[in-house]
Amino acid sequence: MDNLKDNDTKTIIKVDDLQTSFFTHKGEVKAVDGVHFDVPAGKTLGIVGESGSGKSITALSIMRLIEAPGRVKGGSITFNGEDLLAKSEAEMRRIRGNKISMIFQEPMTSLNPVYTIGDQIAESYQIHQGLSKKQALEKALGMLELVGIPSPKARLKAYPHELSGGMRQRAMIAIALACNPELLIADEPTTALDVTIQAQILGLVNDLQKDLGMSMLLITHDLGVVAETCDYVAVMYAGKIVEYADVNTLFANPKHPYTVGLLKSLPRHDIDQEELEVIRGMVPRPDDLPNGCRFAPRCPFAREMCVERLPDLEDQGDGNQVRCWIHTDQWDGPEVNVRDDYGYSESTQS
Amino acid sequence: MTTDILKVRNLKQYFPIKGGILGRKVNDVKAVDDISFEVKEGETLSIVGESGCGKSTTGRAILRLDEPTEGEVDFQGQDLLALSKKDMRRKRKDLQIIFQDPYASINPRQTVRQILSEAMEIQDVLPKDKREARIKELMKTVGLGEHQIDRFPHEFSGGQRQRIGIARALSVDPKMIICDESVSALDVSIQAQVLNLLKKLQRDYNLTYLFISHDLGVVRHISDRVLVMYLGKIVEIADKKSLFDNPKHPYTKTLLSAIPVPDPTKKKEQIVLKGDVPSPIDPPTGCRFHTRCPFATDKCVEEDPELRNNDSLMQDGHRAACHYIEEIESGEMKPNY
Amino acid sequence: MFIYTVRRLIQTIPVMIGVTLVVFLMMHLIPGDPAQIIAGESANEQQVEQTRERLGLNDPLPVQYGTFVGNAVTGDLGNSIRSGRAVTDEIGARFWVTVELAFYSTLLSIFIGLIAGIVSATRRNSPLDMIIMITALFGLSMPNFWLGLMLIQYFALNIEWLPVSGWGTPQSIILPVITLGTAGAAIIARMTRSSMLEVIHQDYIRTARAKGVKERYVVYKHALRNALIPVVTVVGLQFGVLLGGAVLTETVFAINGLGRLVVEAIGQRDFPIVQGAVLILALMFVFVNFIVDISYRFLNKRIDLD
């Protein structure tokens, strides 16, 4: 599954057959079901998907921050050659916020309201580098400067509610990058922000990534953000990756009907579109997943084989990996060009 | 043909701030500060802007969900702000609103049938015996099944709940609907379904939309005309095409350039603004954008620019509130980053 | 912070006026003639009239109220009918006993309540959580006089570890404090538990974990301080409830506190004492709530009223 990149680039993290489930009184809910991907060192992998696709759960699984009733059920997560899933909780704590950091969607609620920004950044240094409070605060000041917060000295003593959304997200980034992590996981980092602030934050993260040589895993629902910031993209649907490619290939030549539908249903500000092509129906409930291809109930090309059997994520030889029968030699339907033929024949929509 | 269904004149919405030892009013949040515009019958006018620009406040003020501080809201020839509370309630039959989170605005203990029949009851739109049939028809119109009529809101997904909100708005046969971030919380695939539905309903019922959104992609898709707000003021208003292809205000240009394009081959030049939106409590003097504008001069600090058209540069009806439309266009003025 | 404190202080003024007004009117609302009551049942017409004149009861009500407040501010709450001593002297010594009792009981409630609440929340749905919550339910539903009697029965009479009654020695304090503090501990335990459970699912707790903070610090540093915010309000209210609840406990343990004084005074129709005691208790309650508001503001940085 890791065969699409040149082998001379080092892989920072490799996720193999990751399975994370939630065990509720109604039974097992498979939120992440056999996910594979890897992030090449210094590069950005984007995971795109709609709500319920399992993209955030994937991120939290890597951090080993899944809370009961959830549990990582199987698979392996290899970070710098070591399996994170085999580590003790104490070992894992030394990795979190140090080697692997995470920033979250809601800068409003992700900072502790009763501690100052300075205290919250300094804490990372106190935990991972054993610095005194005073030394740690000095380094925190440096971080605030790095992430471009104006009058950083004063901000060190500010409480989160005294900062704007954009400034809070900068503070979150300062916390995450404090210990110079090798991998940054950003879960919808700009979704709650206005576009002009989003542009600032994405620019900042990109610059810092280059300067610090980090690798990044970006979780988002926004295909625009993916196109502008990622090197590789994994498209997730109902707990599985349905397509994986480098960013140019994915946007130029999407192969999975879901990817195509997603791109066609996106209203764009830069071009005119008459009617939006839609994806019929809804995302299946995670406790009631289809047996075959999970997209089959909504797919305009679905045939019996799609409903019955789940296809594998298969390498297409041109940089894409796609989980779809159409792109296999077992396909028993008429020849399809997913991109041009996408759409539902009758007016079955809405 | 193109009569104005809604005319907003010098609308102001100030919210008092209390403070000090005695809790007196010390200042105002100038959420909407003297704006005027028209909406033509049958069109979709979108109001776009970032959080705090006053776009949602404008929608609420028009419906008098908050009582505006000053101004006139002329709807079908009647000043809504001069109506009594009772007459205003009656008027809401023609002027409905759909919110971002339909769940927060519908009673969770009512079934779809109850929600819709209550809406009709309040405005007394149909004789009682015909309502049942109408409810079923409405559900079909918005793409819900008749068998779902006795279900409660929590049994529906986000997209379906938004359809319930739309059905409720439609149930009283309105002339105009204010959509306040109505598709913002939905996933892309569901958002497209709802957008298509809104467009279809507009064609079928000759509805007028005031569409409030922060998402310029959605706005480009649904609007006929677009109005851009910044800190309580209108900075630019134009036909959709004119606005997207030929933006004249530096803020509009920044806004458009800041949106990520889902096409990695289009790596365009991004204008990244410095700083945050200033507080609407003490907004900047003169042009409110001057604190972040790369072209700002002393004149911008002192004089509040008017919305104006330059017919050699802009289409008819395209107006922007900038002192230097011409100088920026000709390249005479250079941005100062 | 300073402005907030000052403003909060100013806000207590109307409350104090209300309290004094109610206490003042008490005299006039009780059935019968206050002068007759104060002069005593056996007093003749002339003595009653003299008393009325001496107490200024012939003046218009607002003037009387003014005099009452004026006197109260200078520490003059009148004289006890029974002993003839100044009300402030009568109340003085016994007031501190009650404050002590309420204070120790509050400390006990906070100590037990917080620990039990935190343990319950961090081991949610475990057997320990169940035991704590069931115990709390008992503590809450048990009338405290009954609890007091049971404690006396066992610890004082059966195993004779502790004295039956009184106040002053360390041993004698234990039983009354437990009696009075149990209900409060139960309330605080339940409150802390639900507050902690709410806080522990907040985004900033996830942030702390993602930073690599040890679970112990996640609970005690990041969660507890936020969870305490609603608990502080309850503690303040609880202290007021304890001042009132002290009446029964003092009676059960024969402690010479303010509560018992009030009960006796009511029995003897010694209204100046009742009036004085109610006034002091009410003002105490206002004061405690003022302290609670200030500490609430101190804990919760988001209240930005100045």
Side-chain angles (χ1 to χ4, degrees):
Chain A
M1 296 296 163
D2 53 342
N3 39 7
L4 62 107
K5 286 160 302 288
D6 319 323
N7 278 330
D8 53 336
T9 45
K10 196 178 144 236
T11 293
I12 186 91
I13 192 162
K14 181 173 159 61
V15 172
D16 205 17
D17 194 27
L18 179 69
Q19 299 167 40
T20 304
S21 289
F22 288 80
F23 298 89
T24 69
H25 57 279
K26 281 189 212 150
E28 181 183 349
V29 175
K30 295 178 175 174
V32 176
D33 190 11
V35 159
H36 309 255
F37 61 79
D38 38 35
V39 184
K43 299 287 183 192
T44 301
L45 169 71
I47 300 186
V48 237
E50 299 180 283
S51 27
S53 61
K55 56 190 193 302
S56 291
I57 302 297
T58 303
L60 289 172
S61 301
I62 294 173
M63 293 292 277
R64 293 254 315 266
L65 285 175
I66 298 290
E67 283 175 54
R71 187 156 59 77
V72 177
K73 217 177 63 175
S76 68
I77 299 169
T78 317
F79 174 72
N80 275 344
E82 296 175 69
D83 186 4
L84 294 184
L85 296 181
K87 294 216 175 284
S88 72
E89 179 56 30
E91 287 171 321
M92 208 48 222
R93 266 204 310 272
R94 282 195 286 277
I95 291 173
R96 288 187 204 124
N98 190 19
K99 300 270 188 271
I100 308 179
S101 282
M102 190 160 177
I103 51 179
F104 301 97
Q105 173 172 356
E106 287 291 341
M108 302 296 161
T109 54
S110 293
L111 290 164
N112 196 328
V114 301
Y115 293 103
T116 62
I117 300 295
D119 284 346
Q120 295 188 54
I121 302 171
E123 195 179 17
S124 293
Y125 292 113
Q126 292 171 285
I127 297 170
H128 296 296
Q129 300 180 359
L131 298 188
S132 72
K133 180 81 182 266
K134 194 163 162 274
Q135 292 168 313
L137 277 172
E138 258 166 49
K139 292 196 102 174
L141 180 65
M143 278 316 291
L144 284 182
E145 277 164 16
L146 185 71
V147 298
I149 290 186
S151 44
K153 261 226 163 75
R155 295 297 178 213
L156 213 51
K157 294 194 192 75
Y159 288 93
H161 74 268
E162 296 170 301
L163 302 185
S164 70
M167 287 303 145
R168 281 184 229 192
Q169 198 59 300
R170 284 175 195 263
M172 271 303 292
I173 294 171
I175 292 175
L177 301 191
C179 297
N180 212 345
E182 291 169 52
L183 175 68
L184 176 68
I185 303 177
D187 186 1
E188 303 270 10
T190 56
T191 305
L193 304 174
D194 279 319
V195 276
T196 58
I197 307 300
Q198 165 169 289
Q200 294 174 354
I201 297 291
L202 289 179
L204 173 73
V205 171
N206 269 345
D207 291 348
L208 290 175
Q209 184 186 12
K210 277 195 206 90
D211 295 350
L212 308 174
M214 285 185 301
S215 314
M216 198 158 114
L217 185 63
L218 180 78
I219 314 285
T220 182
H221 72 284
D222 189 329
L223 288 160
V225 170
V226 169
E228 291 203 351
T229 54
C230 298
D231 301 299
Y232 300 92
V233 190
V235 181
M236 266 187 96
Y237 185 80
K240 288 199 177 287
I241 289 179
V242 295
E243 186 158 3
Y244 183 130
D246 73 84
V247 71
N248 290 317
T249 312
L250 187 99
F251 282 90
N253 190 17
K255 287 217 164 95
H256 195 283
Y258 176 65
T259 314
V260 172
L262 210 53
L263 283 165
K264 291 201 171 192
S265 60
L266 183 69
R268 292 177 56 168
H269 75 282
D270 59 327
I271 50 169
D272 279 322
Q273 297 147 292
E274 252 325 296
E275 194 88 331
L276 296 173
E277 286 289 351
V278 304
I279 302 173
R280 179 172 61 182
M282 293 179 284
V283 178
R285 297 213 329 249
D287 57 348
D288 187 20
L289 294 172
N291 290 326
C293 170
R294 298 204 167 151
F295 188 59
R298 304 176 78 188
C299 180
F301 309 110
R303 301 175 63 80
E304 218 182 309
M305 67 183 306
C306 308
V307 178
E308 282 165 3
R309 287 186 294 148
L310 178 72
D312 282 333
L313 189 63
E314 278 184 31
D315 197 19
Q316 301 296 305
D318 55 356
N320 279 51
Q321 291 177 30
V322 182
R323 186 189 292 279
C324 178
W325 288 121
I326 295 174
H327 303 285
T328 63
D329 36 16
Q330 293 180 55
W331 179 242
D332 60 3
E335 192 150 319
V336 174
N337 181 323
V338 176
R339 213 145 68 95
D340 298 343
D341 303 342
Y342 185 89
Y344 304 91
S345 44
E346 322 95 283
S347 55
T348 39
Q349 20 177 288
S350 79
Chain B
M1 163 68 210
T2 51
T3 49
D4 294 333
I5 189 168
L6 180 78
K7 278 187 267 202
V8 173
R9 289 279 165 270
N10 307 101
L11 185 69
K12 282 187 190 173
Q13 180 66 273
Y14 290 1
F15 297 107
I17 306 164
K18 303 226 161 82
I21 288 179
L22 296 172
R24 272 171 315 183
K25 187 184 121 169
V26 289
N27 212 330
D28 287 303
V29 175
K30 298 171 185 72
V32 173
D33 200 4
D34 197 2
I35 66 168
S36 303
F37 62 92
E38 300 81 34
V39 185
K40 299 190 188 100
E41 191 160 1
E43 78 164 347
T44 300
L45 173 71
S46 289
I47 305 184
V48 293
E50 298 178 280
S51 38
C53 72
K55 56 188 191 301
S56 288
T57 312
T58 304
R60 294 179 63 86
I62 290 169
L63 270 168
R64 284 175 63 187
L65 296 177
D66 306 311
E67 288 295 333
T69 313
E70 242 181 83
E72 230 176 85
V73 177
D74 182 314
F75 179 67
Q76 294 178 313
Q78 235 176 347
D79 184 7
L80 296 183
L81 304 191
L83 293 179
S84 70
K85 284 238 153 90
K86 189 166 155 256
D87 289 339
M88 185 62 213
R89 264 201 301 278
R90 294 234 59 93
K91 206 72 205 165
R92 291 211 180 108
K93 178 193 160 313
D94 290 330
L95 185 56
Q96 287 281 310
I97 185 162
I98 308 170
F99 294 101
Q100 169 169 5
D101 177 11
Y103 202 53
S105 60
I106 51 188
N107 184 342
R109 279 183 255 290
Q110 285 187 331
T111 62
V112 179
R113 183 204 302 272
Q114 287 166 332
I115 290 166
L116 296 182
S117 60
E118 188 186 76
M120 289 192 260
E121 175 85 39
I122 290 168
Q123 295 293 353
D124 197 20
V125 279
L126 266 183
K128 269 207 171 79
D129 53 328
K130 297 213 173 122
R131 282 182 196 152
E132 176 80 15
R134 172 79 175 135
I135 290 172
K136 288 186 177 156
E137 188 194 317
L138 278 167
M139 291 191 66
K140 214 175 137 206
T141 310
V142 300
L144 295 171
E146 255 182 47
H147 62 283
Q148 295 167 313
I149 193 163
D150 286 316
R151 293 203 186 154
F152 291 94
H154 71 261
E155 297 175 72
F156 292 91
S157 68
Q160 289 175 321
R161 281 202 287 261
Q162 198 52 283
R163 287 168 193 265
I164 298 172
I166 295 171
R168 184 177 62 172
L170 283 180
S171 68
V172 298
D173 231 340
K175 299 277 181 297
M176 178 168 173
I177 299 179
I178 297 177
C179 304
D180 187 0
E181 299 277 11
S182 304
V183 297
S184 305
L186 305 175
D187 274 321
V188 181
S189 69
I190 306 299
Q191 172 179 287
Q193 296 172 359
V194 174
L195 282 175
N196 284 351
L197 172 66
L198 286 172
K199 276 192 134 179
K200 180 172 177 301
L201 294 173
Q202 180 166 44
R203 285 194 300 269
D204 294 353
Y205 300 97
N206 190 32
L207 291 169
T208 307
Y209 291 140
L210 183 63
F211 196 90
I212 297 164
S213 177
H214 71 280
D215 185 328
L216 283 145
V218 170
V219 163
R220 176 161 195 161
H221 183 68
I222 199 154
S223 325
D224 298 303
R225 289 192 305 137
V226 182
L227 186 164
V228 184
M229 283 184 80
Y230 183 78
L231 266 183
K233 291 267 191 201
I234 299 176
V235 297
E236 188 154 6
I237 181 165
D239 270 8
K240 168 173 70 180
K241 200 159 172 41
S242 192
L243 188 105
F244 281 93
D245 295 346
N246 187 23
K248 282 286 165 281
H249 196 285
Y251 177 65
T252 314
K253 290 181 192 172
T254 318
L255 204 57
L256 287 173
S257 86
I259 310 164
V261 180
D263 185 347
T265 56
K266 275 197 187 174
K267 295 263 190 220
K268 34 136 215 187
E269 196 51 40
Q270 250 189 19
I271 314 169
V272 175
L273 283 184
K274 292 163 291 193
D276 278 325
V277 181
S279 158
I281 298 169
D282 281 304
T285 57
C287 174
R288 296 204 171 168
F289 187 56
H290 84 248
T291 53
R292 302 171 80 197
C293 181
F295 298 99
T297 66
D298 289 347
K299 187 178 178 187
C300 304
V301 180
E302 282 150 20
E303 265 179 62
D304 189 2
E306 271 181 40
L307 269 176
R308 64 194 178 93
N309 176 269
N310 177 328
D311 54 14
S312 62
L313 292 175
M314 296 142 90
Q315 239 182 39
D316 199 28
H318 186 161
R319 291 178 298 152
C322 176
H323 294 304
Y324 298 113
I325 297 174
E326 296 75 14
E327 289 83 348
I328 294 171
E329 185 70 23
S330 67
E332 200 179 307
M333 281 180 85
K334 295 269 177 278
N336 175 21
Y337 292 112
Chain C
M1 188 71 201
F2 177 71
I3 294 180
Y4 178 79
T5 310
V6 172
R7 192 160 84 198
R8 199 56 201 79
L9 208 56
I10 291 172
Q11 280 169 354
T12 60
I13 292 174
V15 180
M16 300 234 222
I17 292 175
V19 166
T20 50
L21 199 60
V22 169
V23 171
F24 167 72
L25 287 177
M26 240 168 61
M27 268 315 250
H28 295 267
L29 292 175
I30 48 175
D33 180 357
Q36 176 77 62
I37 295 166
I38 288 171
E41 278 167 23
S42 57
N44 61 32
E45 196 64 27
Q46 202 189 352
Q47 285 169 316
V48 172
E49 189 51 44
Q50 271 173 1
T51 311
R52 187 171 291 135
E53 195 58 40
R54 179 168 55 84
L55 296 175
L57 290 174
N58 291 325
D59 297 337
L61 271 184
V63 174
Q64 287 187 42
Y65 173 66
T67 317
F68 170 73
V69 172
N71 287 342
V73 169
T74 57
D76 178 7
L77 291 169
N79 295 315
S80 159
I81 295 172
R82 256 186 80 243
S83 66
R85 291 172 58 203
V87 169
T88 36
D89 290 343
E90 285 273 339
I91 292 177
R94 308 178 71 163
F95 172 68
W96 288 112
V97 172
T98 301
V99 168
E100 248 179 15
L101 174 60
F103 181 73
Y104 289 137
S105 303
T106 306
L107 276 190
L108 181 81
S109 322
I110 295 174
F111 187 70
I112 306 273
L114 277 186
I115 292 179
I118 293 168
V119 169
S120 250
T122 48
R123 293 184 177 67
R124 191 187 179 186
N125 295 338
S126 69
L128 191 58
D129 176 26
M130 306 271 183
I131 291 169
I132 290 175
M133 281 303 114
I134 290 171
T135 314
L137 196 63
F138 267 114
L140 206 59
S141 31
M142 226 172 349
N144 64 11
F145 67 86
W146 183 79
L147 174 66
L149 291 175
M150 290 300 114
L151 289 174
I152 290 173
Q153 176 69 44
Y154 187 73
F155 288 100
L157 300 180
N158 290 6
I159 59 175
E160 295 184 31
W161 282 6
L162 297 162
V164 176
S165 64
W167 185 262
T169 61
Q171 291 91 333
S172 65
I173 290 177
I174 296 173
L175 291 185
V177 165
I178 293 176
T179 305
L180 194 54
T182 300
I187 292 175
I188 291 170
R190 287 163 61 105
M191 191 75 200
T192 307
R193 179 182 185 267
S194 65
S195 181
M196 277 296 273
L197 285 179
E198 201 187 307
V199 168
I200 216 87
H201 289 110
Q202 296 293 316
D203 291 347
Y204 53 80
I205 296 300
R206 195 183 49 191
T207 304
R209 291 198 177 116
K211 248 196 255 183
V213 177
K214 280 189 185 140
E215 196 58 27
R216 190 155 29 108
Y217 291 109
V218 169
V219 171
Y220 290 97
K221 185 177 169 196
H222 288 270
L224 187 59
R225 188 149 166 197
N226 284 286
L228 279 183
I229 294 167
V231 175
V232 167
T233 313
V234 174
V235 170
L237 289 173
Q238 202 51 36
F239 189 76
V241 172
L242 289 190
L243 283 177
V247 173
L248 282 171
T249 308
E250 282 169 8
T251 309
V252 169
F253 289 96
I255 298 167
N256 268 326
L258 192 58
R260 231 171 124 219
L261 178 69
V262 174
V263 174
E264 286 165 11
I266 291 172
Q268 293 156 347
R269 314 198 77 191
D270 195 342
F271 286 97
I273 294 277
V274 178
Q275 200 181 30
V278 170
L279 184 67
I280 298 257
L281 285 176
L283 293 183
M284 188 73 197
F285 195 57
V286 172
F287 174 72
V288 168
N289 269 297
F290 168 71
I291 298 291
V292 165
D293 277 1
I294 299 296
S295 48
Y296 191 82
R297 170 67 176 75
F298 185 73
L299 276 174
N300 189 354
K301 306 294 179 187
R302 277 165 298 187
I303 300 184
D304 206 11
L305 295 170
D306 39 80

